Amino acid sequence: MGNAKNYNLIIGGAITGIMLLFMLTGFFYTPHDPNIMNAELKFAGISFNHPFGNDNFGRDLLSRVMVGSFNTLYVAVLTVLCGTFFGVLIGALTGYYGGIIDEILMRINDTIFAFPSILLALVFVSILGSGRNNVIIALGIAFIPGFARIVRSEFLKHKKMDYIVSAHLAGIGDLRIIFRHILPNAAPVLLPAVMIGFNNAVLAEAGMSFLGIGVQPPDPSLGRMLSEAQSYMFRSPVMVLAPGIVLILIILGFSLLSDGLNKRP
């Protein structure tokens, strides 16, 4: 058991570290301009200057995958930050205070949670419009209920423990108890959920971009690249394989890392 836990953490951490480096590099540097078209290089195969080949417009696939993966990272990180911040806030307040606030917010939370996050995000995007920032807002709202439920359950468990009772008797204020005493103890449960949330955000962003309502052209996105490659997958398989493998590695790395963190003693 111990070895399995360590392997998940080590392998997941290694894959995640490599993919994060790859994605962040796409923000600072690419071998070629990802949006420059070249008719002479249409469907060009793998070469020294173009390690992933070129797409149907002659654009360098490596550069587009690098920038596309960064766009996916950007959306996923901001989505999880938004969902975590408001989810923790709602979960902490409802779990600690309870009462009518808990009833109202949790009923709203349960209503939102009843819908699949991607479906709910599609509803919000249809209202807000397509584009990267609107996708972040839509997914962020859809992710709030999951984090709120986790934090609330932890607060319900911890607020009755002896150390919290002692803190009340010592005259420590509610805000300090919430953020200095209970929340740090809820972090070990919250961290794996954040990793899973990141994976879900990556998949959701890729799915929405695949449908054409996420990152908009000419900016590349892994999901949109997969969508554009459908018609050419037999003529140029690398157009599908390049973004597809990168997407799989991102998800695999964070999944293993989450599993390793969740199984720590």
Side-chain angles (χ1 to χ4, degrees), residues 206-236:
M208 296 176 82
S209 291
F210 185 88
L211 295 173
I213 56 176
V215 177
Q216 297 297 299
D219 295 328
S221 164
L222 296 179
R224 192 166 194 93
M225 289 179 70
L226 287 170
S227 176
E228 292 171 348
Q230 286 184 99
S231 304
Y232 311 105
M233 60 187 301
F234 295 109
R235 183 172 181 180
S236 180

Side-chain angles (χ1 to χ4, degrees), residues 172-202:
I172 297 175
D174 288 347
L175 289 179
R176 187 173 178 184
I177 290 174
I178 290 172
F179 293 105
R180 293 289 299 275
H181 293 270
I182 302 180
L183 194 56
N185 286 301
V189 176
L190 186 61
L191 188 57
V194 169
M195 296 293 178
I196 294 171
F198 181 87
N199 264 359
N200 292 337
V202 168

Side-chain angles (χ1 to χ4, degrees), residues 52-244:
F52 285 5
N54 298 76
D55 66 6
N56 55 310
F57 290 108
R59 297 172 297 192
D60 180 60
L61 277 173
L62 174 59
S63 300
R64 289 186 64 76
V65 169
M66 291 174 71
V67 176
S69 62
F70 174 78
N71 284 330
T72 297
L73 174 70
Y74 179 84
V75 171
V77 167
L78 289 185
T79 294
V80 171
L81 284 176
C82 177
T84 303
F85 177 79
F86 290 104
V88 166
L89 196 60
I90 292 170
L93 292 176
T94 55
Y96 185 80
Y97 289 109
I100 189 66
I101 296 175
D102 182 26
E103 286 296 322
I104 294 172
L105 289 180
M106 279 300 103
R107 295 298 74 77
I108 296 172
N109 193 78
D110 290 342
T111 302
I112 296 174
F113 196 72
F115 296 92
S117 58
I118 186 69
L119 179 61
L120 197 63
L122 286 172
V123 172
F124 284 116
V125 167
S126 68
I127 296 170
L128 299 171
S130 59
R132 188 173 69 174
N133 292 334
N134 288 341
V135 166
I136 293 170
I137 295 171
L139 289 175
I141 293 171
F143 278 39
I144 290 172
F147 292 114
R149 288 165 70 94
I150 293 169
V151 174
R152 178 178 177 270
S153 66
E154 287 298 300
F155 268 72
L156 288 172
K157 180 174 70 176
H158 282 277
K159 75 175 185 178
K160 296 178 182 177
M161 291 184 176
D162 291 341
Y163 78 99
I164 298 300
V165 175
S166 299
H168 280 297
L169 293 175
I172 297 175
D174 288 347
L175 289 179
R176 187 173 178 184
I177 290 174
I178 290 172
F179 293 105
R180 293 289 299 275
H181 293 270
I182 302 180
L183 194 56
N185 286 301
V189 176
L190 186 61
L191 188 57
V194 169
M195 296 293 178
I196 294 171
F198 181 87
N199 264 359
N200 292 337
V202 168
L203 286 170
E205 187 281 329
M208 296 176 82
S209 291
F210 185 88
L211 295 173
I213 56 176
V215 177
Q216 297 297 299
D219 295 328
S221 164
L222 296 179
R224 192 166 194 93
M225 289 179 70
L226 287 170
S227 176
E228 292 171 348
Q230 286 184 99
S231 304
Y232 311 105
M233 60 187 301
F234 295 109
R235 183 172 181 180
S236 180
V238 73
M239 285 182 64
V240 175
L241 291 174

